[in-house]
Amino acid sequence: MKATALLLLVLAGLLAWLQYTMWFGIGGSHEVDALRAQVEHQRTENLQLEQRNEALMAEVDDLKSGGAAVEERARSELGMVKPGETFYRVVDGSSKPSTPVTTEAATAPETGR
């Protein structure tokens, strides 16, 4: 009878230890949940980066294939104008700058092209 009680006590202790390690130990449920959240975050980030890469690839293809994209980029980023065109910069009047702002007009230099 004493051996049976000792065996039951050892088995109960083993069961308690296994349950503890399953829930709180290395590789336990908390760690699995944290890893799942980390994987989901990485998937979201990868999806965003894939979309950005696709947009960049489309822009590269557009710049390689046509002059319209290059012209639009030169106009918007570099402020370039064609010969004979007049550049107007309109400033929103609702802001109150410290110095007076007027509409600017500039003509492109004649290059003979």
Side-chain angles (χ1 to χ4, degrees):
M1 181 90 164
K2 205 172 201 185
T4 308
L6 183 61
L7 181 62
L8 284 176
L9 184 62
V10 169
L11 288 175
L14 182 61
L15 179 63
W17 177 75
L18 288 173
Q19 285 293 314
Y20 177 81
T21 56
M22 184 179 90
W23 292 103
F24 305 110
I26 296 173
S29 64
H30 291 292
E31 189 173 332
V32 170
D33 291 340
L35 289 173
R36 282 187 182 141
Q38 199 174 19
V39 166
E40 187 58 36
H41 174 73
Q42 190 64 49
R43 281 186 182 146
T44 304
E45 186 177 341
N46 288 350
L47 181 62
Q48 291 171 348
L49 291 173
E50 285 174 6
Q51 290 172 347
R52 189 193 84 192
N53 286 347
E54 289 172 7
L56 289 173
M57 289 299 289
E59 187 175 347
V60 166
D61 290 342
D62 194 27
L63 289 171
K64 283 183 179 179
S65 66
V70 174
E71 180 181 335
E72 185 272 327
R73 191 154 233 200
R75 287 174 176 272
S76 66
E77 292 181 10
L78 302 175
M80 298 181 84
V81 293
K82 289 183 179 179
E85 286 184 334
T86 303
F87 172 74
Y88 292 97
R89 183 170 133 197
V90 179
V91 179
D92 185 15
S94 64
S95 63
K96 302 291 182 201
S98 59
T99 58
V101 177
T102 60
T103 305
E104 298 175 19
T107 57
E110 296 297 322
T111 58
R113 286 191 228 174

